[in-house]
Amino acid sequence: VRVHTDRVTIEKMRVATTDTAVKPFYRSTLDPIDLSANDVTWPGPAAQDVKLVAKSGEGATLTVTGNIAPAKTRIVAKLTGLPLAPFNPYAVSSGYGIGGGTATLDSTITINNGAYDTKSRLVLNKLDVQSGEGGALFMSQFGMPLELALSLLTDLQGNIVIDLPITGDAKGMKTGLGTLIGNALARAILNAVTSPLKLIGAVARIGDKPASLAPQPLVFLAGRAELAAGEEPKLAPLASLLGQAPGLRLHLRGEAGDTDRRWLREQALRAKLEKESGVFGSVRHVAERGPRKAALAALTDRAAGKTADIPAEYHEWFEAAVAQQNVDDAALEALAAARATVVQAKLASGQGVEAKRVLLDDPRTNDPAARPVVAVGLGSPAPNTTPATPAAH
């Protein structure tokens, strides 16, 4: 039996759904649903100018248009204004929680000779997700906390955009949806970090267990709160990242260690030798005139950024004199803190970054691995806080 009709119209349908497999139960209503199609033929099936419009009780609208034919079917679907909070029961079972946000989905579906090709773009606006028990799993998969990943993905309009191409045939989908979304998210995170920073990873915040890779630290001159040559250009990419990700914050941790202590001791010796270089000092230390003069000259050159060596015959005297100079831990902590403050100030004055988006963590000085650097970490605002307004660049 072959059935053909010129036009089919169905108006104001209503579909109610209840899923008791999740707790609490998920309920949804589509009302109204309007469907129209021309040149409808069965079997086939075939139809021209198909249009379906469905509205949900939560305010979402689904519009589907296209043509259906045995040889080739092409459907365009658009979902707008879908609230995400009602789907929280499904998220909870995976260890996450959805506190809010809306979704928009644009899909083009082509079916040709039993194979299908779907190109979809998913836009999540102002997504509010709590990691919960799923946080550890996300961290193990992507090398960073979920909150940080969301901050990196969110653009200036508060959107997260993910492209999801799906293909398949009679044997099934080529890529499982979970793997597909995971790969798309991984690529999006990777691009978000590598594009402005030229890096391939990030840490959530300094002090936590770090991710496998981290933004490069900013190197300082030993013993000084002054950036080393070639370091200042690293600030612009950091500011660019903050401009692109309004929910992101920087964590700065100044460090100071043995290299700094050595430089400070040497310069303390230089100050001492300068003070004692007068007439009375020269008479008092006449037996050490040679090593004192050589050491003062070398240390003065080093302070000016020049390379200067201590003559071999005075080396033992020099090392003993340096060791006698006292540089306490408080001096190193002050130096480390000053370095972080310098970077924060340069980001504000030279890059237009708001101070509230650059946080200063406790300095690191009691670790043998501490270096003359400011370590840079990436972090997101605390849950349920409004992202900082992006600075202009």
Side-chain angles (χ1 to χ4, degrees):
V1 177
R2 183 176 180 82
V3 179
H4 178 271
T5 182
D6 290 338
R7 182 171 177 80
V8 173
T9 301
I10 303 175
E11 296 180 342
K12 297 182 179 180
M13 291 188 293
R14 181 178 185 275
V15 175
T17 303
T18 300
D19 187 353
T20 60
V22 294
K23 298 294 187 345
F25 300 161
Y26 170 76
R27 292 181 171 86
S28 177
T29 301
L30 295 178
D31 183 14
I33 304 174
D34 297 325
L35 173 65
S36 64
N38 297 329
D39 296 328
V40 179
T41 301
W42 186 273
Q48 298 295 309
D49 303 321
V50 176
K51 183 176 182 179
L52 180 146
V53 179
K55 296 182 180 295
S56 76
E58 295 84 12
T61 299
L62 172 65
T63 303
V64 180
T65 59
N67 299 313
I68 300 173
K72 184 176 181 178
T73 294
R74 187 176 187 274
I75 298 292
V76 176
K78 184 176 183 65
L79 175 65
T80 60
L82 178 66
L84 297 175
F87 294 95
N88 189 60
Y90 295 97
V92 169
S93 63
S94 62
Y96 299 94
I98 300 178
T102 59
T104 298
L105 178 66
D106 289 282
S107 295
T108 300
I109 306 167
T110 303
I111 303 174
N112 193 0
N113 296 324
Y116 61 87
D117 185 351
T118 301
K119 292 180 173 61
S120 299
R121 169 161 287 192
L122 176 64
V123 179
L124 305 175
N125 180 255
K126 297 182 179 178
L127 177 64
D128 179 13
V129 177
Q130 290 82 44
S131 56
E133 296 178 358
L137 176 61
F138 191 94
M139 183 74 178
S140 66
Q141 290 178 334
F142 297 104
M144 64 185 70
L146 174 64
E147 292 79 6
L148 174 59
L150 293 177
S151 294
L152 288 169
L153 290 170
T154 303
D155 63 18
L156 295 174
Q157 288 72 45
N159 294 329
I160 296 174
V161 181
I162 302 177
D163 292 316
L164 301 172
I166 303 174
T167 61
D169 53 28
K171 297 180 180 179
M173 188 183 297
K174 297 296 185 182
T175 305
L177 185 59
T179 302
L180 178 72
I181 294 176
N183 289 341
L185 183 58
R187 288 195 301 271
I189 294 172
L190 186 66
N191 290 337
V193 180
T194 58
S195 178
L197 289 179
K198 307 302 181 186
L199 298 175
I200 55 173
V203 293
R205 56 185 60 84
I206 299 169
D208 290 350
K209 180 180 179 181
S212 57
L213 296 168
Q216 296 176 355
L218 297 162
V219 180
F220 279 70
L221 296 176
R224 287 151 284 183
E226 179 183 346
L227 284 168
E231 293 298 298
E232 192 149 348
K234 293 181 180 179
L235 299 177
L238 288 171
S240 176
L241 179 61
L242 290 175
Q244 296 177 36
L248 193 66
R249 299 186 301 182
L250 290 182
H251 286 253
L252 304 178
R253 182 187 66 205
E255 297 187 11
D258 291 344
T259 301
D260 297 298
R261 194 186 298 272
R262 169 71 188 203
W263 196 91
L264 292 173
R265 280 177 170 171
E266 287 188 358
Q267 293 307 306
L269 175 60
R270 178 177 68 86
K272 180 176 181 294
L273 293 176
E274 286 180 342
K275 183 178 180 181
E276 298 173 349
S277 62
V279 175
F280 294 105
S282 299
V283 172
R284 180 181 177 186
H285 301 287
V286 64
E288 297 178 339
R289 173 180 288 184
R292 281 174 165 269
K293 182 178 179 180
L296 180 57
L299 292 176
T300 300
D301 285 345
R302 290 180 184 181
K306 302 176 183 178
T307 300
D309 295 325
I310 302 296
E313 62 268 28
Y314 303 139
H315 188 267
E316 184 177 350
W317 178 94
F318 177 73
E319 291 299 322
V322 169
Q324 291 175 2
Q325 309 309 308
N326 180 47
V327 176
D328 58 21
D329 293 340
L332 289 183
E333 289 185 6
L335 174 60
R339 285 169 170 167
T341 302
V342 165
V343 175
Q344 183 187 49
K346 285 183 175 294
L347 285 169
S349 62
Q351 305 296 333
V353 177
E354 294 176 296
K356 65 182 179 181
R357 300 191 67 193
V358 183
L359 306 183
L360 304 182
D361 290 358
D362 292 338
R364 179 190 185 199
T365 59
N366 57 357
D367 190 326
R371 299 171 295 160
V373 302
V374 168
V376 181
L378 306 178
S380 56
N384 301 320
T385 60
T386 302
T389 302
H393 301 292

